[in-house]
Amino acid sequence: VDLVKKTPALFGEPVTIKTVQMMPGVISAGEGTSSYFVRGGGADQNLILIDEAPIYDPSHFFGLFSVFNADVIKDSELYKGGIPAQFGGRLSSILEVRTKDGNNQQLSGSGSIGLLASKVMLEGPIAKDKSSFLLSARRSYADVFLQFAPNEDLRENQVYFYDINAKINWKPTNKDRFFVAAYAGRDAFDLNGLFGFNWGNKTGTFRWNHLFSEKLFANTTFIASEFDYQLESSQSSSAFDWSAGLQEFSLKQDFNYFMNPNNILSFGISAAYRN
Protein backbone atom coordinates (compact mmCIF):
# COMPACT_ATOMS: atom_id res chain seq x y z
CA VAL A 1 0.00 0.00 0.00
CA ASP A 2 2.87 2.39 0.79
CA LEU A 3 4.35 1.70 -2.65
CA VAL A 4 1.00 2.52 -4.30
CA LYS A 5 0.78 5.86 -2.51
CA LYS A 6 4.39 6.78 -3.35
CA THR A 7 3.94 6.03 -7.07
CA PRO A 8 3.16 9.11 -9.23
CA ALA A 9 -0.63 9.25 -9.48
CA LEU A 10 -2.58 9.53 -12.71
CA PHE A 11 -5.04 12.46 -12.50
CA GLY A 12 -4.28 12.63 -8.77
CA GLU A 13 -5.54 9.10 -8.13
CA PRO A 14 -3.18 6.30 -6.94
CA VAL A 15 -3.82 3.14 -8.97
CA THR A 16 -3.06 -0.30 -7.49
CA ILE A 17 -3.06 -2.09 -10.85
CA LYS A 18 -0.49 0.35 -12.28
CA THR A 19 1.85 -0.48 -9.41
CA VAL A 20 1.41 -4.20 -10.12
CA GLN A 21 2.26 -3.60 -13.79
CA MET A 22 5.66 -2.21 -12.78
CA MET A 23 6.69 -5.29 -10.82
CA PRO A 24 9.29 -7.78 -12.15
CA GLY A 25 7.76 -10.50 -14.30
CA VAL A 26 4.68 -8.39 -15.09
CA ILE A 27 4.04 -6.64 -18.41
CA SER A 28 1.29 -4.10 -19.04
CA ALA A 29 -1.12 -4.89 -21.86
CA GLY A 30 -0.72 -1.27 -23.03
CA GLU A 31 -1.07 2.31 -21.93
CA GLY A 32 -4.44 3.25 -20.46
CA THR A 33 -5.45 -0.31 -19.58
CA SER A 34 -5.73 -2.33 -16.37
CA SER A 35 -4.85 -5.61 -18.08
CA TYR A 36 -1.46 -7.21 -17.52
CA PHE A 37 0.51 -10.32 -18.45
CA VAL A 38 2.46 -12.34 -15.88
CA ARG A 39 5.42 -14.39 -17.12
CA GLY A 40 3.89 -15.12 -20.52
CA GLY A 41 0.36 -15.83 -19.33
CA GLY A 42 -2.77 -14.29 -20.83
CA ALA A 43 -4.44 -11.17 -19.43
CA ASP A 44 -7.58 -13.20 -18.68
CA GLN A 45 -5.62 -15.85 -16.74
CA ASN A 46 -5.07 -13.62 -13.69
CA LEU A 47 -7.36 -14.08 -10.70
CA ILE A 48 -8.09 -10.74 -9.00
CA LEU A 49 -9.65 -10.82 -5.53
CA ILE A 50 -10.98 -8.19 -3.15
CA ASP A 51 -11.63 -9.59 0.32
CA GLU A 52 -11.54 -13.08 -1.26
CA ALA A 53 -14.26 -12.26 -3.82
CA PRO A 54 -13.31 -12.38 -7.54
CA ILE A 55 -13.36 -9.22 -9.65
CA TYR A 56 -13.88 -9.98 -13.34
CA ASP A 57 -13.17 -6.52 -14.73
CA PRO A 58 -10.84 -4.44 -12.52
CA SER A 59 -11.03 -1.25 -14.60
CA HIS A 60 -12.84 2.07 -14.64
CA PHE A 61 -12.74 4.55 -17.52
CA PHE A 62 -11.32 1.94 -19.95
CA GLY A 63 -8.35 1.24 -17.69
CA LEU A 64 -7.38 4.77 -16.59
CA PHE A 65 -8.57 3.88 -13.08
CA SER A 66 -8.80 0.58 -11.24
CA VAL A 67 -11.65 -0.62 -9.03
CA PHE A 68 -9.33 -0.54 -6.01
CA ASN A 69 -9.63 2.62 -3.93
CA ALA A 70 -6.21 3.15 -2.32
CA ASP A 71 -7.81 4.77 0.77
CA VAL A 72 -9.45 1.50 1.87
CA ILE A 73 -6.71 -1.01 1.01
CA LYS A 74 -5.08 -2.71 3.97
CA ASP A 75 -2.59 -4.80 2.02
CA SER A 76 -2.21 -6.67 -1.26
CA GLU A 77 -0.15 -9.56 -2.53
CA LEU A 78 0.69 -10.75 -6.03
CA TYR A 79 1.40 -14.46 -6.53
CA LYS A 80 3.41 -14.98 -9.72
CA GLY A 81 4.18 -18.63 -9.00
CA GLY A 82 3.86 -21.24 -6.28
CA ILE A 83 0.20 -20.33 -5.85
CA PRO A 84 -1.21 -21.71 -2.56
CA ALA A 85 -3.68 -24.57 -2.97
CA GLN A 86 -6.53 -22.76 -1.18
CA PHE A 87 -6.97 -20.52 -4.23
CA GLY A 88 -8.01 -23.52 -6.31
CA GLY A 89 -5.19 -23.39 -8.86
CA ARG A 90 -4.80 -20.69 -11.53
CA LEU A 91 -3.02 -20.53 -14.87
CA SER A 92 -1.06 -17.31 -14.48
CA SER A 93 -1.24 -15.27 -11.27
CA ILE A 94 -3.33 -14.11 -8.33
CA LEU A 95 -3.68 -10.55 -7.06
CA GLU A 96 -5.19 -10.64 -3.57
CA VAL A 97 -6.37 -7.31 -2.14
CA ARG A 98 -7.64 -6.95 1.42
CA THR A 99 -9.45 -3.86 2.71
CA LYS A 100 -9.08 -2.15 6.08
CA ASP A 101 -11.14 -3.41 9.02
CA GLY A 102 -12.13 0.04 10.25
CA ASN A 103 -10.95 1.98 13.28
CA ASN A 104 -12.47 0.49 16.46
CA GLN A 105 -11.14 3.29 18.72
CA GLN A 106 -12.28 6.59 17.23
CA LEU A 107 -14.18 8.12 14.34
CA SER A 108 -11.96 9.30 11.49
CA GLY A 109 -12.16 9.99 7.80
CA SER A 110 -10.43 11.30 4.71
CA GLY A 111 -11.26 12.75 1.33
CA SER A 112 -9.60 13.97 -1.83
CA ILE A 113 -10.43 15.82 -5.03
CA GLY A 114 -8.81 14.79 -8.32
CA LEU A 115 -9.04 16.08 -11.86
CA LEU A 116 -11.57 13.42 -12.89
CA ALA A 117 -12.82 11.88 -9.64
CA SER A 118 -13.25 12.61 -5.95
CA LYS A 119 -13.61 10.29 -2.99
CA VAL A 120 -14.47 10.24 0.70
CA MET A 121 -13.88 7.63 3.40
CA LEU A 122 -15.29 7.30 6.93
CA GLU A 123 -14.38 4.72 9.58
CA GLY A 124 -14.99 4.32 13.27
CA PRO A 125 -16.20 2.14 16.14
CA ILE A 126 -19.71 0.71 16.46
CA ALA A 127 -18.87 -0.60 19.93
CA LYS A 128 -15.39 0.39 21.09
CA ASP A 129 -12.88 -2.48 21.03
CA LYS A 130 -15.65 -4.84 19.85
CA SER A 131 -16.83 -3.74 16.42
CA SER A 132 -16.13 -1.16 13.73
CA PHE A 133 -17.21 -0.01 10.29
CA LEU A 134 -15.66 1.44 7.15
CA LEU A 135 -17.51 3.20 4.33
CA SER A 136 -15.95 4.72 1.23
CA ALA A 137 -17.38 6.21 -1.96
CA ARG A 138 -15.77 7.51 -5.15
CA ARG A 139 -17.26 9.09 -8.28
CA SER A 140 -16.03 10.77 -11.42
CA TYR A 141 -17.61 13.99 -12.65
CA ALA A 142 -16.74 14.33 -16.33
CA ASP A 143 -20.50 14.33 -17.03
CA VAL A 144 -20.90 17.40 -14.77
CA PHE A 145 -18.52 19.43 -16.95
CA LEU A 146 -20.41 18.35 -20.08
CA GLN A 147 -23.38 20.40 -18.87
CA PHE A 148 -21.34 23.54 -19.65
CA ALA A 149 -20.42 22.46 -23.20
CA PRO A 150 -21.39 24.97 -25.94
CA ASN A 151 -22.71 22.11 -28.08
CA GLU A 152 -26.19 21.10 -26.87
CA ASP A 153 -25.71 17.52 -28.10
CA LEU A 154 -22.72 17.11 -25.79
CA ARG A 155 -24.78 18.20 -22.81
CA GLU A 156 -27.01 15.15 -23.25
CA ASN A 157 -24.09 12.72 -23.03
CA GLN A 158 -23.35 10.74 -19.87
CA VAL A 159 -19.91 9.48 -18.91
CA TYR A 160 -19.09 8.54 -15.33
CA PHE A 161 -18.03 5.80 -12.95
CA TYR A 162 -18.55 5.21 -9.24
CA ASP A 163 -17.67 2.65 -6.63
CA ILE A 164 -18.57 1.99 -3.00
CA ASN A 165 -16.70 -0.05 -0.40
CA ALA A 166 -18.21 -1.05 2.95
CA LYS A 167 -16.99 -3.28 5.75
CA ILE A 168 -18.11 -4.24 9.24
CA ASN A 169 -16.16 -6.38 11.68
CA TRP A 170 -17.30 -7.69 15.05
CA LYS A 171 -15.35 -9.45 17.79
CA PRO A 172 -17.91 -10.83 20.30
CA THR A 173 -15.35 -13.03 22.11
CA ASN A 174 -11.61 -13.62 22.11
CA LYS A 175 -12.20 -16.79 20.08
CA ASP A 176 -14.60 -15.46 17.43
CA ARG A 177 -14.52 -12.69 14.88
CA PHE A 178 -16.97 -11.85 12.08
CA PHE A 179 -16.40 -9.77 8.94
CA VAL A 180 -18.85 -8.52 6.32
CA ALA A 181 -17.38 -6.73 3.29
CA ALA A 182 -19.07 -5.42 0.16
CA TYR A 183 -18.07 -3.68 -3.05
CA ALA A 184 -20.18 -2.17 -5.84
CA GLY A 185 -18.96 -0.22 -8.86
CA ARG A 186 -20.19 0.75 -12.32
CA ASP A 187 -19.14 2.61 -15.47
CA ALA A 188 -21.81 4.20 -17.65
CA PHE A 189 -21.65 5.89 -21.05
CA ASP A 190 -24.57 7.29 -22.99
CA LEU A 191 -24.10 9.13 -26.29
CA ASN A 192 -27.02 11.52 -26.63
CA GLY A 193 -29.52 8.72 -25.99
CA LEU A 194 -28.63 7.04 -29.30
CA PHE A 195 -26.04 4.55 -28.09
CA GLY A 196 -24.97 3.48 -24.61
CA PHE A 197 -23.03 0.88 -22.71
CA ASN A 198 -22.22 0.16 -19.08
CA TRP A 199 -20.56 -2.47 -16.93
CA GLY A 200 -20.06 -3.13 -13.25
CA ASN A 201 -18.93 -5.46 -10.48
CA LYS A 202 -20.63 -6.34 -7.20
CA THR A 203 -19.12 -8.50 -4.47
CA GLY A 204 -19.98 -9.57 -0.94
CA THR A 205 -17.96 -11.53 1.60
CA PHE A 206 -18.98 -12.97 4.96
CA ARG A 207 -16.17 -14.48 7.04
CA TRP A 208 -16.13 -16.13 10.46
CA ASN A 209 -12.84 -16.73 12.23
CA HIS A 210 -12.90 -19.17 15.15
CA LEU A 211 -10.12 -20.29 17.47
CA PHE A 212 -10.80 -23.83 18.71
CA SER A 213 -7.58 -23.97 20.71
CA GLU A 214 -4.11 -22.46 20.78
CA LYS A 215 -3.20 -24.80 17.91
CA LEU A 216 -6.36 -25.05 15.74
CA PHE A 217 -7.80 -22.06 13.85
CA ALA A 218 -10.79 -22.12 11.46
CA ASN A 219 -11.92 -19.69 8.77
CA THR A 220 -15.42 -20.03 7.26
CA THR A 221 -16.17 -17.82 4.26
CA PHE A 222 -19.22 -17.25 2.04
CA ILE A 223 -18.56 -15.25 -1.13
CA ALA A 224 -20.84 -13.76 -3.79
CA SER A 225 -19.65 -11.98 -6.91
CA GLU A 226 -21.36 -10.62 -10.03
CA PHE A 227 -20.16 -8.94 -13.22
CA ASP A 228 -22.53 -7.66 -15.90
CA TYR A 229 -22.51 -5.39 -18.93
CA GLN A 230 -25.05 -3.92 -21.35
CA LEU A 231 -24.91 -2.48 -24.85
CA GLU A 232 -27.87 -0.71 -26.40
CA SER A 233 -28.76 1.38 -29.41
CA SER A 234 -32.02 3.26 -30.03
CA GLN A 235 -31.30 4.18 -33.66
CA SER A 236 -34.22 2.97 -35.74
CA SER A 237 -32.07 1.35 -38.41
CA SER A 238 -29.99 -0.72 -35.97
CA ALA A 239 -31.75 -0.82 -32.59
CA PHE A 240 -30.69 -3.55 -30.18
CA ASP A 241 -30.34 -4.32 -26.48
CA TRP A 242 -27.56 -6.67 -25.36
CA SER A 243 -27.13 -7.86 -21.76
CA ALA A 244 -24.67 -10.37 -20.35
CA GLY A 245 -23.34 -11.30 -16.96
CA LEU A 246 -21.61 -13.80 -14.71
CA GLN A 247 -22.52 -14.77 -11.15
CA GLU A 248 -20.47 -16.79 -8.69
CA PHE A 249 -21.28 -18.08 -5.21
CA SER A 250 -18.74 -20.00 -3.17
CA LEU A 251 -18.32 -21.46 0.30
CA LYS A 252 -14.91 -22.16 1.83
CA GLN A 253 -13.89 -23.88 5.02
CA ASP A 254 -10.20 -23.53 5.90
CA PHE A 255 -8.26 -24.82 8.91
CA ASN A 256 -4.77 -24.05 10.20
CA TYR A 257 -3.17 -26.41 12.70
CA PHE A 258 -0.01 -25.14 14.37
CA MET A 259 1.93 -28.37 14.88
CA ASN A 260 5.03 -26.68 16.31
CA PRO A 261 6.84 -23.33 15.93
CA ASN A 262 8.31 -24.43 12.58
CA ASN A 263 5.38 -26.27 10.96
CA ILE A 264 1.79 -25.30 10.13
CA LEU A 265 -0.68 -27.72 8.55
CA SER A 266 -3.31 -26.03 6.35
CA PHE A 267 -6.31 -27.94 5.00
CA GLY A 268 -9.88 -27.29 3.95
CA ILE A 269 -12.59 -27.62 1.34
CA SER A 270 -14.38 -25.25 -1.04
CA ALA A 271 -17.37 -25.37 -3.38
CA ALA A 272 -18.45 -22.88 -6.04
CA TYR A 273 -21.51 -22.32 -8.22
CA ARG A 274 -21.24 -20.22 -11.38
CA ASN A 275 -23.97 -19.04 -13.70
Side-chain angles (χ1 to χ4, degrees):
V1 178
D2 291 337
L3 179 60
V4 173
K5 292 183 177 179
K6 290 177 181 177
T7 304
L10 180 66
F11 299 116
E13 177 76 16
V15 182
T16 304
I17 296 291
K18 299 301 181 186
T19 308
V20 169
Q21 291 173 342
M22 293 187 292
M23 297 181 69
V26 181
I27 298 176
S28 171
E31 293 296 330
T33 176
S34 294
S35 299
Y36 56 92
F37 308 112
V38 178
R39 292 177 174 170
D44 59 347
Q45 295 173 350
N46 304 307
L47 176 63
I48 299 174
L49 304 172
I50 181 169
D51 289 321
E52 301 184 65
I55 293 287
Y56 293 103
D57 187 342
S59 66
H60 285 309
F61 247 48
F62 304 104
L64 289 177
F65 295 86
S66 77
V67 299
F68 302 116
N69 185 343
D71 285 354
V72 302
I73 296 177
K74 178 182 179 181
D75 54 55
S76 61
E77 190 165 0
L78 177 68
Y79 296 89
K80 296 181 287 185
I83 296 172
Q86 64 261 32
F87 292 110
R90 296 293 162 169
L91 290 174
S92 189
S93 76
I94 292 176
L95 175 61
E96 185 183 22
V97 176
R98 290 172 289 271
T99 59
K100 296 177 181 177
D101 296 331
N103 191 330
N104 63 6
Q105 297 298 314
Q106 61 182 9
L107 186 67
S108 62
S110 65
S112 64
I113 298 176
L115 292 176
L116 291 181
S118 293
K119 56 187 178 180
V120 62
M121 186 267 287
L122 185 67
E123 60 179 332
I126 299 174
K128 196 170 183 178
D129 295 322
K130 287 286 187 179
S131 59
S132 62
F133 75 94
L134 180 145
L135 181 63
S136 176
R138 178 175 58 164
R139 192 189 190 280
S140 68
Y141 35 71
D143 55 325
V144 176
F145 295 127
L146 289 177
Q147 302 301 315
F148 302 99
N151 189 327
E152 292 187 6
D153 291 336
L154 287 177
R155 297 175 193 170
E156 301 298 323
N157 293 341
Q158 283 190 341
V159 48
Y160 67 88
F161 76 84
Y162 71 85
D163 50 29
I164 299 170
N165 291 86
K167 193 171 188 179
I168 294 175
N169 86 87
W170 176 41
K171 186 180 179 182
T173 69
N174 289 331
K175 292 188 176 181
D176 295 282
R177 193 168 186 177
F178 297 91
F179 298 85
V180 178
Y183 167 82
R186 181 158 295 275
D187 284 68
F189 297 84
D190 186 274
L191 305 180
N192 204 22
L194 299 177
F195 178 77
F197 53 101
N198 65 85
W199 71 87
N201 297 276
K202 292 189 289 252
T203 72
T205 304
F206 170 79
R207 187 166 77 248
W208 171 34
N209 296 342
H210 180 68
L211 187 66
F212 287 99
S213 67
E214 292 183 355
K215 290 191 172 184
L216 183 61
F217 174 81
N219 185 34
T220 305
T221 312
F222 176 75
I223 300 165
S225 180
E226 181 181 18
F227 169 72
D228 70 277
Y229 69 91
Q230 288 86 36
L231 302 171
E232 60 180 355
S233 173
S234 59
Q235 299 184 54
S236 58
S237 59
S238 59
F240 67 89
D241 190 352
W242 171 297
S243 297
L246 173 63
Q247 294 176 326
E248 177 175 335
F249 301 93
S250 59
L251 180 65
K252 299 196 303 180
Q253 181 65 64
D254 301 311
F255 295 93
N256 289 317
Y257 181 69
F258 297 86
M259 303 171 64
N260 54 58
N262 297 319
N263 295 281
I264 301 174
L265 177 64
S266 297
F267 58 97
I269 188 170
S270 66
Y273 168 78
R274 297 180 181 91
N275 178 40

